[in-house]
Amino acid sequence: MIRYIQESRLEELFRILSRRGPLYLPLAEGPSLSFRPWSEGAPVDLKTVNSTVSAKEIFLPREEAYFCYRRAGRELALEPLEQEAANAVAFGLRACDLRGLEMLDRVFKDQDPPDGLYLRRREQTAIVALACAEPAPYCFCSLFGIDPARAGGADLQAWWHGEGLCLKALTAAGEELLSSAGELLHEGPAGAEEPPRVETGNFGLKLEGLPAGLRERFDDPVWEELYRSCLGCGACTYICPTCYCFDLEDFGHQEKGERYRCWDSCMFREFTLMAGGHNPRPTRKERVRNRFLHKLQYYPERYGEIACTGCGRCLRSCPVDLNIVQVIRALGGESR
Amino acid sequence: MAQDNLNRDQATARIRAAVTQDLLSGRISLLLGWQKGLFWWRSRPLFARSQQDLERLVWDSFCAVNLSRYLPEELSIEERVGILVKGCDARAFHRLLQDRMLDRERVLLYGLPCPGMLDYRLLAEAGVKEAEQMLEEGEELVIQTGGGEERRPRTDFLLEKCRLCPHPDPVVYDQLLLPPGEPWMDPASRFQDLEARERPTPAERYAYWSGELQRCLSCYACRQVCPACSCRECFAEQQEPRWLGKGAGLNENMLFHIIRVYHGAGRCIECGECQRACPVGIPLLELSRRLAKDIEELYGPYEAGMDPEAPPPLLTYRPEDPAAFPEK
């Protein structure tokens, strides 16, 4: 059954959903848009496609502590941290965000043992997907078989209709979210049983030959050209929904502190810098090649799918316009 | 800004002709320029080594990337590099020259008076979705939308770094390829907008910058793109000693940005590449310009990157310099 809520009453819905636990929504921060815990009056933007930073940060935050440690004399005590993720709702994820999450799941969740921090956030977060009414010029998710109006793996699918949102539960958790909203929701309008179809462009790309053909391309001169304009910043990796590298550090001093993990980027020199000074990826050429081969060859060889969702974030944000479309084209993946 | 009544295609052809000659004769082995990017509103760096490469060269309203940043590395590979320089690229060149990051004799500078580069975000807000909806006529932009035709001053659509630029014409070149233009910002009044937005108390400043810097991703795009960031190893990546944690908390972000901007104080050429490169839109140019303004107030008029013989105020000492240590 389709339920419906007026746009003007969304704030009330957010109020109800945030009573359960943190409610993540795309919030404007200056010209940027990121998924952040909602609070009264927060600048929610459910129209812009896509958020500047991908929704991965709900499940793999920029920084997350494992435990605190405290030392007194020869005694060392480890203290667990508060479980902040309980009963969270992530609202407004796009189909490409969810595809990105599938890719992270294979790395963190579907392993033995799974990654505890990720698993906890994943299991305790209900997901409300929002269909894209109109793709951005950067979008090319259709190339990867994604339907921008139908997200896989969500608990609830939402889509804009008239002056409000249609809501359709896809799982029991989704049903529960709907019933918690009670009388705020009406019966869906006639003729709005399904989100309208949307398709993105694909920049004339074709994916045949990737990844099989890439094994022979490791020393291809194409990398010599591609890396040159790269500045060596980590912007592409941090906004990307399928980049998941992290580092571990301690913060504190001998008596007291915490161990945390935080995002790290293969585009940084010190990412592969070894003790003793050796660096197996000494220049930007090796680092650029690694990043794109990870998307186009290493991940697919291991998990069976190209690690790109066509979300277009690297197309939008790279300061020198070096992006995965340019790389796929340079590797010959163009149909024109 | 009136460019000899040359349209951009004609200007591009003129530039291409000039640099082709030098590349084919071996006078330069590499030309740093721009080529069209993935979208009509983006132009990306071009590293041209052949006539074929040069066919991709463009000079349009989206050549925002400051190319001088690439010079030190390219000069470690190439014998003699040619580079197209706008006002900000030229001042960046001076920055690098003064920091002894490059050899003047091995660079050939082709000067391009800059009309200011356009910001796609502003164009999109005005309803421009396709290149065909936008026509540049001198200092005006003619915009065609569903609602009809609108004429707006071109300066309304400039990137902030360009809108605030007092020196769009290159201050150094070996050859000027296009006729000089008219600046739209008086250097003497370039800090007026900052005065209008003064935050008088430390608490207000802290609140404002905390709000902006908390979303910093620590991607270091601002550092990587900066012509004044010339350390071989940034303090932020040093392992021994470890100055900065790797986390993305406000403390780390603030420490990084304060050190970054202080390191550029009196050396920053105000090209605004830091702000343009920032994926989350932190107003980093304002931070740099606030320091440049302080420097002027303390040490007198100074614009970095204008004259390579004029030492940055914080790298020199004069007896009459203010000694503004607070007295107890």
Side-chain angles (χ1 to χ4, degrees), chain A residues 8 20 38 40 85 98 101 105 112 123 128 153 158-159 166 176 196 232 246-248 273 285 295:
Chain A
S8 57
R20 311 157 35 103
W38 178 85
E40 205 68 46
L98 276 133
L101 218 46
D105 282 355
D112 188 20
E123 285 179 342
V128 182
W159 65 94
C166 290
E176 199 194 311
F246 61 85
D247 195 7
L248 297 182
L273 184 63
K285 178 184 155 186
K295 304 284 175 215

Side-chain angles (χ1 to χ4, degrees), chain A residues 98-172:
Chain A
L98 276 133
R99 174 65 66 86
L101 218 46
E102 266 178 52
M103 309 224 180
L104 299 197
D105 282 355
R106 294 190 193 110
V107 177
F108 291 104
K109 186 161 85 64
D110 310 335
Q111 300 283 340
D112 188 20
D115 178 89
L117 293 181
Y118 181 86
L119 188 69
R120 182 166 57 81
R121 288 184 182 269
R122 198 72 175 85
E123 285 179 342
Q124 303 205 357
T125 306
I127 297 177
V128 182
L130 177 59
C132 304
E134 193 188 351
Y138 311 96
C139 295
F140 61 111
C141 69
S142 295
L143 179 69
F144 300 100
I146 295 173
D147 180 346
R150 282 162 196 78
D155 295 297
L156 200 65
Q157 176 73 54
W159 65 94
W160 291 106
H161 181 92
E163 300 292 295
L165 276 183
C166 290
L167 300 162
K168 182 182 174 182
L170 305 173
T171 65

Side-chain angles (χ1 to χ4, degrees), chain A residues 225-300:
Chain A
E225 288 309 309
L226 278 173
Y227 90 90
R228 280 202 126 79
S229 67
C230 175
L231 296 166
C233 76
C236 53
T237 56
Y238 286 170
I239 57 175
C240 178
T242 73
C243 272
Y244 49 76
C245 285
F246 61 85
D247 195 7
L248 297 182
E249 272 202 355
D250 286 352
F251 179 80
H253 46 79
Q254 286 204 331
E255 273 75 50
K256 199 179 126 193
E258 66 178 38
R259 173 155 301 175
Y260 67 95
R261 75 171 169 203
C262 59
W263 291 355
D264 201 356
S265 170
C266 62
M267 301 310 291
F268 295 151
R269 188 187 62 94
E270 67 274 27
F271 184 79
T272 44
L273 184 63
M274 310 279 174
H278 176 65
N279 197 334
R281 291 185 208 133
T283 73
R284 293 198 317 286
K285 178 184 155 186
E286 291 83 15
R287 301 197 275 273
V288 167
R289 178 174 61 194
N290 175 73
R291 175 159 194 272
F292 287 108
L293 285 183
H294 184 257
K295 304 284 175 215
L296 302 172
Q297 183 195 342
Y298 310 148
Y299 188 98

Side-chain angles (χ1 to χ4, degrees), chain A residues 30-78:
Chain A
S32 176
L33 190 65
S34 281
F35 284 86
R36 291 265 185 270
W38 178 85
S39 59
E40 205 68 46
V44 177
D45 178 356
L46 286 172
K47 295 280 166 69
T48 300
V49 178
N50 278 314
S51 62
T52 313
V53 184
S54 82
K56 78 176 173 193
E57 64 177 327
I58 301 171
F59 306 94
L60 185 66
R62 298 173 193 192
E63 174 181 303
E64 188 172 26
Y66 285 100
F67 54 78
C68 293
Y69 62 84
R70 199 178 289 276
R71 190 153 67 174
R74 297 180 65 86
E75 295 294 311
L76 181 71
L78 298 186

Side-chain angles (χ1 to χ4, degrees), chain A residues 63 229 231 234 249 284 318, chain B residues 42 70 73 219 224 242 248:
Chain A
E63 174 181 303
S229 67
L231 296 166
E249 272 202 355
R284 293 198 317 286
C318 174
Chain B
R42 301 284 305 257
Y70 294 110
E73 183 170 318
C219 74
Q224 295 303 104
R242 197 86 170 106

Side-chain angles (χ1 to χ4, degrees), chain B:
Chain B
M1 202 161 6
Q3 300 228 338
D4 199 16
N5 296 325
L6 284 180
N7 68 32
R8 291 305 158 75
D9 291 341
Q10 292 167 319
T12 298
R14 185 189 281 192
I15 297 163
R16 194 179 290 139
V19 297
T20 302
Q21 213 174 10
D22 288 341
L23 194 64
L24 295 185
S25 73
R27 198 170 170 218
I28 53 173
S29 51
L30 172 78
L31 187 276
L32 285 173
W34 300 274
Q35 61 183 322
K36 219 45 224 157
L38 190 54
F39 301 102
W40 59 266
W41 63 86
R42 301 284 305 257
S43 296
R44 64 167 72 124
L46 170 71
F47 297 71
R49 275 177 213 81
S50 65
Q51 191 165 10
Q52 201 186 349
D53 292 345
L54 283 178
E55 280 162 23
R56 302 205 301 273
L57 183 94
V58 290
W59 170 243
D60 62 13
S61 291
F62 303 98
C63 300
V65 179
N66 189 330
L67 298 175
S68 293
R69 184 63 171 116
Y70 294 110
L71 275 175
E73 183 170 318
E74 292 304 327
L75 284 168
S76 71
I77 309 165
E78 305 285 340
E79 193 45 48
R80 203 145 188 263
V81 177
I83 181 170
L84 304 183
V85 289
K86 314 180 289 290
C88 57
D89 308 67
R91 287 175 71 188
F93 177 80
H94 271 164
R95 169 80 279 121
L96 294 163
L97 195 63
Q98 207 167 24
D99 291 345
R100 301 179 194 218
M101 299 290 287
L102 45 79
D103 181 358
R104 177 68 184 89
E105 300 307 312
R106 290 171 58 212
V107 184
L108 200 59
L109 298 148
Y110 303 94
L112 298 177
C114 177
M117 297 298 156
L118 301 178
D119 186 342
Y120 172 66
R121 247 168 60 93
L122 300 174
L123 292 170
E125 276 169 23
V128 180
K129 288 189 170 172
E130 306 293 336
E132 294 71 38
Q133 288 175 272
M134 183 195 92
L135 189 69
E136 295 191 54
E137 281 186 6
E139 294 177 29
E140 276 189 330
L141 220 59
V142 186
I143 293 172
Q144 313 268 358
T145 56
E149 191 181 285
E150 195 188 0
R151 299 184 86 87
R152 297 262 302 269
R154 199 174 171 282
T155 42
D156 283 4
F157 298 95
L158 294 183
L159 288 166
E160 185 166 68
K161 68 173 231 160
C162 300
R163 190 165 48 77
L164 295 166
C165 172
H167 304 287
D169 286 5
V171 294
V172 55
Y173 51 80
D174 296 301
Q175 202 181 332
L176 192 66
L177 298 184
L178 298 170
E182 278 297 318
W184 49 89
M185 165 69 76
D186 174 13
S189 58
R190 72 188 203 277
F191 296 131
Q192 261 175 12
D193 64 307
L194 296 182
E195 280 152 22
R197 285 183 289 154
E198 250 354 303
R199 299 174 198 97
T201 67
E204 282 169 88
R205 291 197 286 277
Y206 186 82
Y208 176 77
W209 288 107
S210 302
E212 297 292 339
L213 293 176
Q214 59 84 25
R215 68 176 178 273
C216 170
L217 299 170
S218 309
C219 74
Y220 301 125
C222 51
R223 174 188 77 192
Q224 295 303 104
V225 81
C226 176
C229 272
S230 46
C231 295
R232 282 176 202 272
E233 188 180 30
C234 178
F235 83 98
E237 58 187 31
Q238 242 168 1
Q239 299 292 328
E240 280 298 336
R242 197 86 170 106
W243 303 103
L244 191 69
K246 210 161 190 167
L250 180 61
N251 283 345
E252 277 100 346
N253 291 347
M254 211 169 251
L255 180 63
F256 170 70
H257 285 285
I258 288 173
I259 293 190
R260 186 187 65 79
V261 77
Y262 267 82
H263 204 171
R267 299 170 59 247
C268 167
I269 58 153
E270 298 163 52
C271 71
E273 278 289 85
C274 46
Q275 177 162 322
R276 189 188 65 79
C278 179
V280 292
I282 300 171
L284 295 169
L285 181 54
E286 179 181 342
L287 202 55
S288 301
R289 292 171 69 241
R290 292 249 174 230
L291 257 74
K293 179 169 171 279
D294 287 350
I295 296 268
E296 284 218 343
E297 283 165 9
L298 288 166
Y299 302 101
Y302 183 80
E303 286 183 277
M306 295 300 288
D307 173 8
E309 301 304 322
L314 295 186
L315 296 189
T316 184
Y317 174 74
R318 292 172 307 180
E320 65 271 26
D321 279 349
F325 288 104
E327 290 185 26
K328 292 236 165 162

